[in-house]
Amino acid sequence: MAKDQEIRHGRHCVFKMHVHLVFVTKYRRHVLDGNAIEHLSSIFSKVCGDFEATLKEFDGEDDHVHLLVEYPPKASVSKLVNSLKGVSSRMLRKIRPDIADRYWRGMLWSPSYFASSCGGAPISIIRQYIEGQQTQL
């Protein structure tokens, strides 16, 4: 089985959960360059590791970034997002003080974010599978 298709195991669960996240810079300011995106990649990978999650894909442009994260059921997406945004803003400011003046009043990210679950079978297939289960009364 390909490494990308491996199902992860916890002590009491088996899972394969992914979330697509999009973070936008405050007021869509053009803060990020190629070097900043490289730094963000390593920062996001480290934070994901702290949550026992894995950063599968990452890329971005000068005003937003996209992340694909595989995460365990015990990790809350909102807590993961808060940590990703907070740590990345602080660390990028330390690593790249030259772009800190492009932050909006010390804030890199907009407070909002986009999150979408992804992967697995389409809803119609899952619904069909559940409807096909034998009901024992």
Side-chain angles (χ1 to χ4, degrees):
M1 189 179 286
K3 186 166 179 85
D4 236 16
Q5 298 299 317
E6 288 181 15
I7 295 176
R8 293 177 58 184
H9 299 268
R11 184 175 174 146
H12 298 287
C13 62
V14 179
F15 61 93
K16 185 164 186 66
M17 298 169 48
H18 291 87
V19 64
H20 172 211
L21 301 170
V22 180
F23 303 153
V24 178
T25 58
K26 186 78 172 179
Y27 299 120
R28 301 281 304 205
R29 287 183 167 247
H30 302 284
V31 177
L32 309 173
D33 56 19
N35 183 267
I37 296 217
E38 286 178 27
H39 287 300
L40 284 173
S41 177
S42 63
I43 294 167
F44 287 148
S45 291
K46 168 91 173 69
V47 173
C48 284
D50 294 343
F51 280 80
E52 297 178 23
T54 307
L55 182 64
K56 292 292 189 177
E57 293 290 332
F58 171 76
D59 209 349
E61 294 182 14
D62 57 356
D63 63 351
H64 71 281
V65 293
H66 292 263
L67 300 86
L68 178 62
V69 179
E70 182 179 12
Y71 66 101
K74 67 182 180 180
S76 163
V77 173
S78 63
K79 288 182 181 177
L80 175 63
V81 166
N82 287 339
S83 188
L84 287 166
K85 289 170 76 173
V87 171
S88 64
S89 181
R90 281 191 307 278
M91 294 299 293
L92 191 60
R93 190 179 308 121
K94 283 182 184 177
I95 295 169
R96 294 281 310 274
D98 60 306
I99 64 172
D101 62 335
R102 288 188 267 168
Y103 281 28
W104 179 258
R105 296 186 180 170
M107 292 175 46
L108 173 61
W109 303 114
S110 167
S112 60
Y113 62 92
F114 170 81
S116 172
S117 61
C118 51
I123 297 296
S124 60
I125 300 298
I126 294 171
R127 182 177 292 123
Q128 205 173 22
Y129 174 76
I130 292 171
E131 288 172 352
Q133 298 296 301
Q134 294 180 356
T135 305
Q136 296 184 6
L137 301 173

